[in-house]
Amino acid sequence: MSAPPPLQIREANAHLAAVHRRAAELEARLDAAERTVRAQAERLARHDQQLRAALDELGRTKDREIAALQEQLLTSEATVHSLQAAVHQRDKLIGQLQPRAELLQDICRRRSPLAGLLAALAEAERLGPLPASDPGHPLAGGPSSPLANSTGEKGDRDHLQPAVFGTTV
Protein backbone atom coordinates (compact mmCIF):
# COMPACT_ATOMS: atom_id res chain seq x y z
CA MET A 1 0.00 0.00 0.00
CA SER A 2 1.20 3.25 -0.80
CA ALA A 3 1.05 6.33 1.29
CA PRO A 4 -1.69 8.76 0.49
CA PRO A 5 -0.67 11.96 -1.12
CA PRO A 6 0.07 14.87 1.23
CA LEU A 7 -2.88 16.88 -0.04
CA GLN A 8 -5.23 14.09 0.81
CA ILE A 9 -3.63 13.80 4.29
CA ARG A 10 -4.03 17.53 4.87
CA GLU A 11 -7.66 17.39 3.76
CA ALA A 12 -8.27 14.37 5.98
CA ASN A 13 -6.56 16.16 8.91
CA ALA A 14 -8.63 19.31 8.24
CA HIS A 15 -11.76 17.16 8.05
CA LEU A 16 -10.85 15.38 11.32
CA ALA A 17 -10.15 18.75 12.98
CA ALA A 18 -13.51 20.08 11.75
CA VAL A 19 -15.30 16.94 13.03
CA HIS A 20 -13.45 17.26 16.32
CA ARG A 21 -14.45 20.96 16.61
CA ARG A 22 -18.02 20.10 15.70
CA ALA A 23 -18.05 17.30 18.30
CA ALA A 24 -16.62 19.69 20.94
CA GLU A 25 -19.17 22.32 19.96
CA LEU A 26 -22.00 19.78 20.17
CA GLU A 27 -20.70 18.53 23.55
CA ALA A 28 -20.62 22.14 24.83
CA ARG A 29 -24.15 22.72 23.56
CA LEU A 30 -25.23 19.41 25.10
CA ASP A 31 -23.65 20.43 28.44
CA ALA A 32 -25.39 23.83 28.24
CA ALA A 33 -28.69 22.15 27.36
CA GLU A 34 -28.28 19.67 30.22
CA ARG A 35 -27.54 22.54 32.63
CA THR A 36 -30.60 24.41 31.31
CA VAL A 37 -32.76 21.29 31.68
CA ARG A 38 -31.43 20.69 35.22
CA ALA A 39 -32.04 24.35 36.17
CA GLN A 40 -35.53 24.19 34.70
CA ALA A 41 -36.20 20.91 36.50
CA GLU A 42 -35.00 22.44 39.78
CA ARG A 43 -37.16 25.54 39.21
CA LEU A 44 -40.15 23.34 38.36
CA ALA A 45 -39.52 21.21 41.45
CA ARG A 46 -39.32 24.33 43.66
CA HIS A 47 -42.42 25.78 41.98
CA ASP A 48 -44.23 22.45 42.40
CA GLN A 49 -43.21 22.40 46.07
CA GLN A 50 -44.46 25.99 46.51
CA LEU A 51 -47.72 25.14 44.79
CA ARG A 52 -48.17 22.05 46.98
CA ALA A 53 -47.53 24.14 50.10
CA ALA A 54 -50.00 26.79 48.90
CA LEU A 55 -52.54 24.06 48.09
CA ASP A 56 -52.07 22.50 51.52
CA GLU A 57 -52.56 25.92 53.16
CA LEU A 58 -55.68 26.49 51.06
CA GLY A 59 -56.98 23.09 52.18
CA ARG A 60 -56.35 23.95 55.85
CA THR A 61 -57.98 27.37 55.40
CA LYS A 62 -60.96 25.74 53.70
CA ASP A 63 -61.26 23.20 56.53
CA ARG A 64 -61.14 26.00 59.14
CA GLU A 65 -63.78 27.99 57.26
CA ILE A 66 -66.00 24.91 56.94
CA ALA A 67 -65.66 24.22 60.67
CA ALA A 68 -66.51 27.85 61.48
CA LEU A 69 -69.51 27.77 59.14
CA GLN A 70 -70.71 24.49 60.65
CA GLU A 71 -70.46 26.00 64.12
CA GLN A 72 -72.30 29.09 62.91
CA LEU A 73 -74.95 26.85 61.33
CA LEU A 74 -75.45 24.97 64.60
CA THR A 75 -75.71 28.26 66.48
CA SER A 76 -78.18 29.59 63.93
CA GLU A 77 -80.26 26.41 64.10
CA ALA A 78 -80.35 26.66 67.90
CA THR A 79 -81.42 30.30 67.60
CA VAL A 80 -84.13 29.35 65.10
CA HIS A 81 -85.43 26.62 67.42
CA SER A 82 -85.41 29.05 70.33
CA LEU A 83 -87.25 31.68 68.30
CA GLN A 84 -89.77 29.10 67.08
CA ALA A 85 -90.42 28.06 70.67
CA ALA A 86 -90.87 31.72 71.66
CA VAL A 87 -93.27 32.26 68.74
CA HIS A 88 -95.21 29.16 69.78
CA GLN A 89 -95.42 30.44 73.37
CA ARG A 90 -96.54 33.87 72.17
CA ASP A 91 -99.12 32.32 69.85
CA LYS A 92 -100.41 30.31 72.80
CA LEU A 93 -100.52 33.46 74.94
CA ILE A 94 -102.29 35.36 72.16
CA GLY A 95 -104.82 32.52 71.97
CA GLN A 96 -105.40 32.86 75.71
CA LEU A 97 -105.62 36.66 75.61
CA GLN A 98 -107.80 36.93 72.48
CA PRO A 99 -111.14 36.27 74.27
CA ARG A 100 -110.20 38.80 76.96
CA ALA A 101 -109.30 41.37 74.31
CA GLU A 102 -112.63 40.82 72.58
CA LEU A 103 -114.40 41.24 75.93
CA LEU A 104 -112.51 44.49 76.58
CA GLN A 105 -113.41 45.74 73.11
CA ASP A 106 -117.04 44.90 73.80
CA ILE A 107 -116.82 46.77 77.13
CA CYS A 108 -115.27 49.76 75.37
CA ARG A 109 -118.06 49.78 72.78
CA ARG A 110 -120.64 49.75 75.58
CA ARG A 111 -118.86 52.33 77.73
CA SER A 112 -121.01 55.31 76.71
CA PRO A 113 -124.34 53.57 77.39
CA LEU A 114 -122.93 52.25 80.69
CA ALA A 115 -121.76 55.71 81.67
CA GLY A 116 -125.26 57.05 80.92
CA LEU A 117 -126.82 54.27 82.97
CA LEU A 118 -124.47 54.98 85.89
CA ALA A 119 -125.26 58.69 85.67
CA ALA A 120 -128.99 57.91 85.75
CA LEU A 121 -128.50 55.62 88.75
CA ALA A 122 -126.52 58.30 90.53
CA GLU A 123 -129.31 60.80 89.83
CA ALA A 124 -131.86 58.32 91.16
CA GLU A 125 -129.75 57.86 94.28
CA ARG A 126 -129.47 61.60 94.70
CA LEU A 127 -133.23 61.97 94.52
CA GLY A 128 -133.59 59.41 97.30
CA PRO A 129 -136.74 57.43 98.27
CA LEU A 130 -140.26 58.86 98.14
CA PRO A 131 -141.63 60.21 101.33
CA ALA A 132 -143.76 57.72 103.25
CA SER A 133 -146.46 60.34 103.99
CA ASP A 134 -148.65 59.37 101.04
CA PRO A 135 -149.83 55.80 101.80
CA GLY A 136 -152.16 55.71 98.81
CA HIS A 137 -149.42 56.38 96.29
CA PRO A 138 -148.65 53.27 94.18
CA LEU A 139 -144.91 53.67 94.76
CA ALA A 140 -145.05 53.76 98.51
CA GLY A 141 -142.63 50.82 98.67
CA GLY A 142 -144.70 48.35 100.56
CA PRO A 143 -144.43 44.59 100.16
CA SER A 144 -147.43 44.49 97.87
CA SER A 145 -145.92 47.13 95.61
CA PRO A 146 -145.45 45.98 92.02
CA LEU A 147 -141.94 47.49 91.96
CA ALA A 148 -140.67 45.47 94.90
CA ASN A 149 -137.75 43.22 94.00
CA SER A 150 -139.33 39.82 93.84
CA THR A 151 -139.26 36.87 91.54
CA GLY A 152 -143.01 36.74 91.37
CA GLU A 153 -143.36 33.87 93.82
CA LYS A 154 -145.49 34.51 96.90
CA GLY A 155 -143.07 32.83 99.33
CA ASP A 156 -140.24 35.19 98.37
CA ARG A 157 -142.02 38.37 99.40
CA ASP A 158 -141.42 37.99 103.09
CA HIS A 159 -137.65 38.15 103.05
CA LEU A 160 -137.00 40.60 100.16
CA GLN A 161 -135.79 44.13 100.70
CA PRO A 162 -137.26 47.06 98.87
CA ALA A 163 -135.30 48.17 95.78
CA VAL A 164 -132.60 50.71 96.50
CA PHE A 165 -130.63 52.48 93.75
CA GLY A 166 -126.87 52.47 94.09
CA THR A 167 -123.65 52.07 92.20
CA THR A 168 -120.96 49.50 92.71
CA VAL A 169 -118.41 50.99 90.38
Side-chain angles (χ1 to χ4, degrees):
M1 273 212 102
S2 71
L7 178 63
Q8 198 176 17
I9 292 176
R10 273 193 302 261
E11 284 178 357
N13 283 341
H15 180 68
L16 281 176
V19 167
H20 187 351
R21 278 192 309 271
R22 179 73 177 143
E25 180 184 312
L26 289 175
E27 283 179 1
R29 286 179 67 190
L30 179 63
D31 286 342
E34 285 177 349
R35 282 191 306 272
T36 302
V37 167
R38 271 193 300 272
Q40 286 177 347
E42 288 172 3
R43 277 195 310 264
L44 285 175
R46 280 193 307 270
H47 188 66
D48 185 50
Q49 190 177 21
Q50 290 170 347
L51 289 177
R52 284 183 193 275
L55 188 61
D56 289 345
E57 180 59 32
L58 282 174
R60 287 189 295 272
T61 302
K62 175 197 63 117
D63 291 342
R64 284 191 303 269
E65 286 179 5
I66 287 174
L69 289 173
Q70 285 175 334
E71 184 176 325
Q72 188 178 13
L73 178 63
L74 290 175
T75 303
S76 296
E77 285 175 346
T79 302
V80 165
H81 288 300
S82 172
L83 291 174
Q84 285 175 336
V87 165
H88 179 70
Q89 286 297 103
R90 288 196 178 122
D91 286 347
K92 191 174 170 183
L93 181 62
I94 287 171
Q96 291 172 349
L97 294 176
Q98 190 66 37
R100 288 183 174 102
E102 291 170 0
L103 180 63
L104 287 174
Q105 286 175 343
D106 190 35
I107 288 170
C108 288
R109 278 193 299 273
R110 296 178 187 193
R111 183 174 177 218
S112 294
L114 284 175
L117 177 62
L118 289 175
L121 287 174
E123 178 65 18
E125 207 173 72
R126 185 188 63 78
L127 291 175
L130 286 175
S133 63
D134 189 7
H137 195 276
L139 296 177
S144 63
S145 170
L147 292 180
N149 55 353
S150 72
T151 59
E153 298 175 9
K154 296 193 182 244
D156 286 345
R157 290 187 180 166
D158 293 338
H159 70 278
L160 293 177
Q161 308 257 339
V164 177
F165 292 106
T167 61
T168 59
V169 179

